[in-house]
Amino acid sequence: MIELTEQQRRELEADPPRALDPLTRRTWVLVSEDVYERIQHLLVPERLTGAEQQAILRAAGKRAGWDDPEMDVCDREEATPERL
């Protein structure tokens, strides 16, 4: 753990606080531990198996109407030589 200097502590009052690595020029956005705990599940999603990913994608496609027989025309049109 890094212990902050007084100047660094004051800099953390910015919303949101940012830190610049002078060597890499990479910018970091800093959040407090309580905020991190609340949003961690958004940043590090749970690992899904290939089958779970396929099921989610299939369900999303159905909700979008991709299983509608009228959508078959899109597949046929994409395969025509003048579109290639």
Side-chain angles (χ1 to χ4, degrees):
M1 181 170 308
I2 299 170
E3 190 166 320
L4 300 173
T5 66
E6 181 61 29
Q7 179 184 357
Q8 290 168 330
R9 191 191 61 71
R10 283 193 307 270
E11 293 291 333
L12 289 177
E13 300 298 321
D15 189 30
R18 297 175 188 271
L20 175 66
D21 180 337
L23 193 60
T24 64
R25 306 303 298 167
R26 190 171 179 190
T27 301
W28 298 83
V29 177
L30 308 174
V31 296
S32 63
E33 185 174 18
D34 62 314
V35 170
Y36 175 77
E37 294 297 330
R38 288 196 319 260
I39 65 171
Q40 180 181 14
H41 68 282
L42 299 173
L43 303 172
V44 184
E46 62 186 70
R47 300 272 180 192
L48 300 175
T49 66
E52 291 170 324
Q53 291 174 2
Q54 288 291 327
I56 290 169
L57 291 172
R58 257 192 309 282
K62 284 185 176 192
R63 283 193 306 273
W66 295 350
D67 62 340
D68 185 332
E70 290 186 25
M71 293 295 286
D72 292 345
V73 70
C74 296
D75 293 333
R76 288 191 302 274
E77 287 180 4
E78 287 178 4
T80 59
E82 60 271 5
R83 292 193 174 251
L84 297 177

